[in-house]
Amino acid sequence: MRLQVGDPAPGFTLPHRPGETVDVGELIGREKVVLLFFPLAFSSVCTTEMGTIRDGWEVWEGANAKLFGISVDSPFVTALFREEEDIPFPILSDFNREVTRAYGVLNDDFFGLKGVANRAAFVIDSSGRIAYAWASEDADVEPDYVQLLQAVSTA
């Protein structure tokens, strides 16, 4: 079941490149955190989504929140995706699908692929609770960036 507004946000640590991890759990309950789950690095809509955030980075940076992209790709792929697309925030690898499952956005049939993240966005407020939750089973649907930014501003 997908996490809802008001639920406590599970903490976690994931790799963002081989051998290097980010402890997001350390931030939860202390700072605003935005989690952007996406199906697969280098796919067209996922690249567009991460690029949209990148291209408006100064606005997101001013929102006073830590952003993280999360996919089930390996840390080798997430690191390469971040580098090649010049993404200014960490792209984390949930290769074991533990975080995707914990947040309730694991898709068991993504065009025949099992265990891919649905496109989803969560804003976690500084008390550690979900302040905004959105997910789509349609991989072609991007989050409403204006609504997402407003949720960060009011969290």
Side-chain angles (χ1 to χ4, degrees):
M1 179 172 212
R2 188 177 89 216
L3 293 180
Q4 302 294 317
V5 171
D7 288 342
F12 58 89
T13 300
L14 289 175
H16 70 102
R17 62 175 50 108
E20 294 183 31
T21 60
V22 174
D23 185 353
V24 177
E26 183 178 276
L27 300 172
I28 292 175
R30 300 170 128 183
E31 299 188 44
K32 293 183 209 179
V33 175
V34 178
L35 304 178
L36 302 170
F37 290 86
F38 61 96
L40 296 167
F42 296 106
S43 61
S44 62
V45 180
C46 297
T47 301
T48 298
E49 178 185 6
M50 295 299 113
T52 298
I53 300 291
R54 175 201 62 220
D55 295 346
W57 185 242
E58 63 282 344
V59 174
W60 291 96
E61 212 171 18
N64 200 23
K66 303 290 185 188
L67 270 74
F68 300 94
I70 302 174
S71 80
V72 299
D73 294 295
S74 78
F76 298 96
V77 173
T78 59
L80 184 63
F81 180 59
R82 180 178 186 228
E83 180 183 323
E84 287 193 6
E85 295 301 322
D86 197 28
I87 306 299
F89 52 92
I91 304 292
L92 307 178
S93 168
D94 187 23
F95 191 76
N96 294 324
R97 287 122 174 108
E98 294 167 356
V99 176
T100 306
R101 187 174 287 111
Y103 278 76
V105 294
L106 187 65
N107 187 335
D108 285 326
D109 187 12
F110 183 76
F111 301 106
L113 300 175
K114 306 227 181 295
V116 175
N118 283 325
R119 192 171 315 284
F122 293 91
V123 175
I124 303 166
D125 66 21
S126 57
S127 74
R129 298 218 169 252
I130 304 292
Y132 176 84
W134 172 87
S136 177
E137 291 186 19
D138 182 345
D140 289 337
V141 176
E142 294 176 59
D144 181 323
Y145 301 106
V146 172
Q147 191 176 60
L148 181 59
L149 189 57
Q150 286 173 344
V152 172
S153 298
T154 60

